[in-house]
Amino acid sequence: MTTTEATTTHDTADIDLAAVEEFAGTLVQTMAGALTTALIDIGRRTRLFELATQGPATSQELADRGGLHERYVREWLAAMATAGIVEYDAHHERFWLPLEHAALLTGDSNDNLTSLAYLVQHVVKQAEAVARCFTEGGGVPYSAYQPEIHDVMDVLWQPMYRDLAVQHHLPLAPGLVDALESGIRVADLACGAGNLSGMLARRYPRSTFVGFDLDDAAIAVARQRHRDADNVRYEVADVATLREDEPFDAVLVFNAVHDQARPLEFLTSACDLLRPGGTFLMNEPRISSVLADNIQTPETSIIYGISLLHCMTVSLAEGGAGLGTGWGEQVAVQLLTDAGFGPVDVHDAEGDPTNAIFVTHRPG
C-alpha cells in the first residue's frame, strides 16, 4: 500500500487512536487560539489590558475603571483567564495581568503584540472572499481591505519605525546613517501613509525624502500628516514603472515587495532610481523560501496565513506574481540579483525576529 493510499483509506483498523486524540487536542487548541486572538483585539480596542495593569480587580471593578459593561468584561476575563493570559484569584474573585504579560500586551512600544491581533482580525474578514478564489481564481483586491488597512498599518508599523529603524536597522547599511546626517536624497517606496519617511525627515533634517505609493488615499494621509515638513514630499506612483530625473542616494522599502503585482519590475525600478553605488535597504519577513526549512518553526504559519488572506491575494487580484509573505530569503536574494543589484547582505532585524534586513547597492 502506498503512503497516499494509506492516508486516504477508511479502514480504521490502521488508525492510531492515541494519535487521533492527540491531534484532536491540537485542533481544539488551534481553534481556541483563533477565538483568543479576536478577544485580544477586543482588549486592545477597549484598553482592558491597560486597565488591568492598575491592580487586581473583580469584573465589576475593572468595568468601572473603563466605563464598560460588566457582563461583557466578565465573559472576556473568563476567556482570558482560561487562556492563561490573565491570572484569577478564585477566593476573592479578582483578576490581574502579570507584569510579564503586560510587557507584550500594553504600551506603545514595538513589543506590544496586540497590533498583530489587530492585523489578523482584519485580514480574516476576507476569508470568504479568499475561499471563492480557490475555485474562481484571481484575488481579493487591496480596495477590499480599505479604509481600515491604513489604521492597521499605522498600529503595526509606527512603533517599529520609531523604536527600531534608526537605532538598529539603518546602521546595518554601512555609512548610511552618517550620510543621512550629512544630507542625502532618499526614496521611500510603497511608503503608505508616510510613517517611515516622515519620521526620518524629522530625524535627519539635512536629507530630503520622497515617498511613493500607488494608494492615493494613503498618500493623501501622508501629505496631510507631514505638511509642515519641507524636506519630504509624497507622490502617487506605480513604482514598477517609476522614473525620476534626479537619482537617489538611498532607496528604502519596508515590508512591501512581497505584496507587489510585479516584484521584479518593482526592484528593477528601485535599482534604476539609485545613483551608481547608492544603497538599497529592504525589510522583509525572515523565512526560508523552502517550506521544509520552516516546518520546525510553527510561528511561520502566521506568515503563510497572513499571506493567503492578504499579501498573496492582493497581488493575484492585479494579475500579479502572487509572491506572498512567505517568498523567503532565497527568492528575495535572487530577485534582487535579477533586478541588477550587487551582492546582498541579509541581517537579522534586531528587536523584530520575524523580519530580516536586506542590504545591497547599485553597481557603479
Side-chain angles (χ1 to χ4, degrees), residues 81 86-96:
V86 303
E87 298 290 342
Y88 178 55
D89 176 357
H91 181 70
H92 297 97
E93 295 187 341
R94 276 181 161 77
F95 302 83
W96 73 95

Side-chain angles (χ1 to χ4, degrees), residues 77-252:
L77 284 168
M80 292 295 99
T82 53
I85 293 174
V86 303
E87 298 290 342
Y88 178 55
D89 176 357
H91 181 70
H92 297 97
E93 295 187 341
R94 276 181 161 77
F95 302 83
W96 73 95
L97 186 64
L99 291 176
E100 295 79 5
H101 298 192
L104 301 176
L105 295 168
T106 63
D108 65 351
S109 79
N110 189 64
D111 293 329
N112 188 335
L113 296 183
T114 61
S115 59
L116 180 58
Y118 186 18
L119 171 63
V120 170
Q121 283 304 104
H122 181 57
V123 300
V124 163
K125 293 175 184 178
Q126 298 300 329
E128 182 178 353
V130 171
R132 289 197 298 269
C133 296
F134 278 69
T135 54
E136 299 173 4
V140 180
Y142 185 74
S143 59
Y145 299 85
Q146 294 177 312
E148 190 178 8
I149 190 65
H150 298 141
D151 184 57
V152 173
M153 293 297 104
D154 283 351
V155 171
L156 194 64
W157 295 119
Q158 282 178 351
M160 190 273 285
Y161 294 143
R162 183 195 63 230
D163 298 343
L164 301 176
V166 171
Q167 299 91 326
H168 301 295
H169 300 166
L170 298 186
L172 294 172
L176 179 57
V177 172
D178 288 341
L180 287 166
E181 294 279 10
S182 299
I184 58 173
R185 180 171 154 84
V186 182
D188 178 15
L189 305 185
C191 66
N195 288 317
L196 175 63
S197 45
M199 181 270 294
L200 293 179
R202 293 189 298 273
R203 177 65 178 80
Y204 302 108
R206 294 181 179 177
S207 291
T208 59
F209 300 84
V210 185
F212 300 98
D213 201 289
L214 196 56
D215 184 349
D216 55 353
I219 290 295
V221 172
R223 288 171 174 167
Q224 176 65 22
R225 284 180 176 172
H226 308 296
R227 63 187 181 279
D228 296 330
D230 58 7
N231 64 330
V232 61
R233 65 180 174 87
Y234 295 96
E235 303 292 340
V236 177
D238 181 355
V239 173
T241 59
L242 181 61
R243 299 293 180 268
E244 283 275 301
D245 294 333
E246 184 179 355
F248 291 93
D249 301 290
V251 169
L252 312 176

Side-chain angles (χ1 to χ4, degrees), residues 282-297:
M282 177 177 80
N283 181 313
E284 281 289 327
R286 166 63 90 181
I287 189 171
S288 173
S289 303
V290 180
L291 175 59
D293 296 341
N294 303 319
I295 297 296
Q296 299 305 316
T297 52

Side-chain angles (χ1 to χ4, degrees), residues 12-33:
T12 57
D14 295 331
I15 293 179
D16 182 341
L17 295 181
V20 171
E21 184 174 353
E22 181 181 359
F23 182 59
T26 299
L27 281 180
V28 169
Q29 185 176 17
T30 297
M31 294 174 188

Side-chain angles (χ1 to χ4, degrees), residues 8 46 56 66 71 86-87 102 107 116 138 143 190 237 255 322 334 356:
T8 57
T46 57
R71 185 64 187 93
V86 303
E87 298 290 342
L116 180 58
S143 59
N255 272 280
Q334 185 60 57

